[in-house]
Amino acid sequence: ITKYINHQKEYKVDPSDRSRRILDREATEKLKVVDQEFEKYIRSDAANKEEIVDAYNRAFRSYTRSAPDSEPAALPGISSTFKGRPLVVKSHQWEWVRMATERRASINAHGVGGGKTMAAILAGQMASVKNGAKRKLYVVPAKIIKKWAYEIQQIFPSAKVISLEELSSTNSHKMLQQVAMNEFDFALISQDRLKMIPMKSSEKFLEEDLNNIRERLLTLKSSGKKKNLRTERDLQERLVKFEEKLRGIQEMKKTNTIWWEDLNIDLLA
């Protein structure tokens, strides 16, 4: 019945080669008969028809994703020029900007030269207008952080942009404090630098991971099987590593560390 509903065909193992599957014509014909009989059943009684149609619509047609609008949006602070020429935003860029804003999560897979950087910048400003995302942090490759900062200022000249390109273990407290205490529109950081920002909530996750590892170790040891020795050794190494991370987080809580949660980021892109 499921195959019929999804308009699928029935297959069977090829008797001459059991590694292959071939079309089962007899079973497929029976599916067509089911189709015909089900249609007769629905049409035979108006009450049945109404009930079935209503159930189907509620189950499969109750939600339709709206098609994104490709019309230009009047974003506050947007420039009329870009790199000395009139600012041109193409329809596919506006479509993605609206899709990303409405769904609050999206992947921009346009090809090279498709305007992904500009679309991402516009989406951030659209999120500010539609979703109240004022403090936006963009994770971009380290070598093009300056390029991103330049293009943001070209599109939104009055935007305040903070670069965390120079974030390091020696200046992290000062730089993150500036982010936490000051207003900004866009902040830019590389993936490597992002990993340097500690999270208070990571303590909870580390404790859960440690409990899981300890339970697995107890299970392996109780089994007494020699083939589990390598797995047991790997788990012991992970246990030591995670315990060290947990102690680090707990020690940091005793200091005036600036945490990810202190930055009050509204949008991470």
Side-chain angles (χ1 to χ4, degrees):
I1 297 298
T2 302
K3 289 179 186 264
Y4 150 68
I5 293 174
N6 292 304
H7 303 287
Q8 295 176 349
K9 297 178 180 179
E10 186 64 60
Y11 292 85
K12 64 181 179 180
V13 176
D14 186 348
S16 60
D17 183 358
R18 300 192 65 81
S19 65
R20 295 177 60 244
R21 295 175 72 244
I22 59 174
L23 179 66
D24 188 333
R25 299 186 182 281
E26 183 180 353
T28 300
E29 287 300 318
K30 288 181 179 179
L31 288 177
K32 292 182 181 180
V33 173
V34 171
D35 186 0
Q36 296 166 359
E37 293 299 319
F38 187 61
E39 184 176 353
K40 289 179 183 178
Y41 169 72
I42 294 176
R43 295 180 181 278
S44 65
D45 189 315
N48 279 342
K49 178 180 178 181
E50 185 176 345
E51 182 180 353
I52 292 170
V53 169
D54 181 68
Y56 178 85
N57 286 336
R58 288 179 181 276
F60 301 105
R61 293 182 174 176
S62 59
Y63 172 73
T64 301
R65 193 182 293 279
S66 59
D69 186 0
S70 62
E71 290 298 313
L75 295 176
I78 192 169
S79 174
S80 60
T81 61
F82 181 70
K83 298 181 180 180
R85 297 181 179 182
L87 176 67
V88 177
V89 184
K90 297 179 180 178
S91 59
H92 71 272
Q93 291 173 295
W94 283 122
E95 285 181 5
W96 183 83
V97 166
R98 286 189 169 86
M99 181 177 68
T101 306
E102 291 170 5
R103 302 181 187 180
R104 303 191 180 218
S106 183
I107 296 176
N108 190 335
H110 291 141
V112 176
K116 296 187 291 294
T117 300
M118 180 183 288
I121 294 168
L122 293 170
Q125 196 71 351
M126 180 77 84
S128 297
V129 174
K130 299 290 186 180
N131 304 331
K134 296 181 179 180
R135 301 164 65 85
K136 302 172 285 291
L137 179 63
Y138 281 63
V139 184
V140 301
K143 62 182 179 181
I144 58 172
I145 283 182
K146 287 186 174 67
K147 177 178 179 291
W148 270 74
Y150 171 72
E151 295 199 3
I152 290 171
Q153 298 285 191
Q154 286 288 305
I155 300 170
F156 297 104
S158 61
K160 183 173 182 180
V161 182
I162 295 178
S163 172
L164 294 173
E165 182 182 8
E166 303 299 328
L167 185 70
S168 67
S169 57
T170 56
N171 67 10
S172 62
H173 185 273
K174 181 179 179 180
M175 292 195 72
L176 293 178
Q177 191 174 44
Q178 290 177 349
V179 175
M181 297 182 66
N182 294 296
E183 294 299 322
F184 62 89
D185 299 298
F186 296 88
L188 302 171
I189 193 171
S190 66
Q191 186 173 0
D192 289 340
R193 299 294 190 273
L194 180 66
K195 292 177 181 178
M196 295 174 61
I197 305 176
M199 295 179 64
K200 283 182 182 178
S201 55
S202 61
E203 181 179 15
K204 175 185 175 183
F205 300 129
L206 283 169
E207 287 174 342
E208 291 176 354
D209 288 339
L210 283 167
N211 288 334
N212 290 333
I213 292 173
R214 291 183 182 116
E215 288 177 5
R216 288 187 64 189
L217 281 170
L218 286 173
T219 303
L220 288 173
K221 288 179 180 179
S222 62
S223 69
K225 295 181 180 179
K226 291 185 178 180
K227 65 179 181 180
N228 291 330
L229 290 177
R230 182 174 179 179
T231 303
E232 186 177 335
R233 185 174 65 250
D234 291 342
L235 287 173
Q236 287 286 6
E237 290 176 358
R238 288 181 62 192
L239 184 67
V240 172
K241 184 178 178 181
F242 282 22
E243 285 177 338
E244 185 178 342
K245 283 186 176 181
L246 181 59
R247 283 194 297 270
I249 294 293
Q250 291 171 339
E251 286 300 317
M252 291 173 72
K253 283 192 170 183
K254 299 176 184 178
T255 67
N256 60 346
T257 299
I258 303 295
W259 302 89
W260 165 261
E261 290 85 350
D262 298 325
L263 302 181
N264 296 314
I265 299 299
D266 299 318
L267 182 148
L268 180 64

